[in-house]
Amino acid sequence: MAKILIVEARFYASLNDMLIAGAQAAVEAAGHEAELLTVPGALEIPGAIALAAESGEYDAFVAIGVVIRGETYHFEIVAGESARAIMALTMDGIAIGNGILTVENEAQALVRADPAQKDKGGEAAKAALALMALGDRFAPRG
């Protein structure tokens, strides 16, 4: 049984709860264990994953959050930099499913977060599990 860390940026609580429910259901359906860690915002997710990965305690990670476009350039920075940093960690061999929604409005986020609709939390968890399996497959033989 693998141990998966779900790292959430707790900014939109009700939307996050749906994303987390989808992620937890996917992890449990695959026969693994999920743990939850909360950070202040989406920009803190990659740093938290990097620190947790160094511990060796977790086999994969799921990034959960919601970034909704506002009136300033801040949306582009948060959306782009969180995705860039998660991709950099993934390229370093850390299995991460990116479930950070970057949307125009709350209605779009609701459809994507809801496990009964697009279930992006569940999809992110499945992506993390798939990367974990690839890591196992391509692990050095010894």
Side-chain angles (χ1 to χ4, degrees):
M1 175 182 350
K3 193 169 181 183
I4 312 304
L5 183 63
I6 300 170
V7 181
E8 68 144 341
R10 191 91 181 149
F11 200 79
Y12 296 98
S14 63
L15 295 168
N16 274 21
D17 289 344
M18 287 188 275
L19 289 164
I20 292 164
Q24 288 175 327
V27 169
E28 290 169 9
H32 302 297
E33 176 186 347
E35 185 176 321
L36 182 65
L37 175 69
T38 301
V39 297
L43 289 174
E44 289 75 40
I45 291 173
I49 289 173
L51 291 169
E54 286 180 16
S55 77
E57 188 177 337
Y58 302 97
D59 300 290
F61 303 86
V62 182
I64 296 291
V66 179
V67 182
I68 298 176
R69 184 179 302 277
E71 297 177 2
T72 68
Y73 185 69
H74 187 67
F75 170 86
E76 282 81 5
I77 293 170
V78 174
E81 289 301 310
S82 62
R84 182 203 54 78
I86 288 169
M87 183 56 67
L89 292 171
T90 301
M91 296 303 293
D92 286 341
I94 300 173
I96 305 170
N98 188 348
I100 301 175
L101 303 181
T102 53
V103 296
E104 296 293 326
N105 55 57
E106 196 167 338
Q108 289 178 347
L110 180 60
V111 169
R112 287 158 179 76
D114 187 350
Q117 295 185 60
K118 295 211 178 217
D119 192 22
K120 294 300 182 179
E123 286 183 13
K126 290 174 186 173
L129 295 172
L131 286 171
M132 180 183 74
L134 282 174
D136 293 343
R137 177 180 172 191
F138 294 118
R141 298 173 196 236

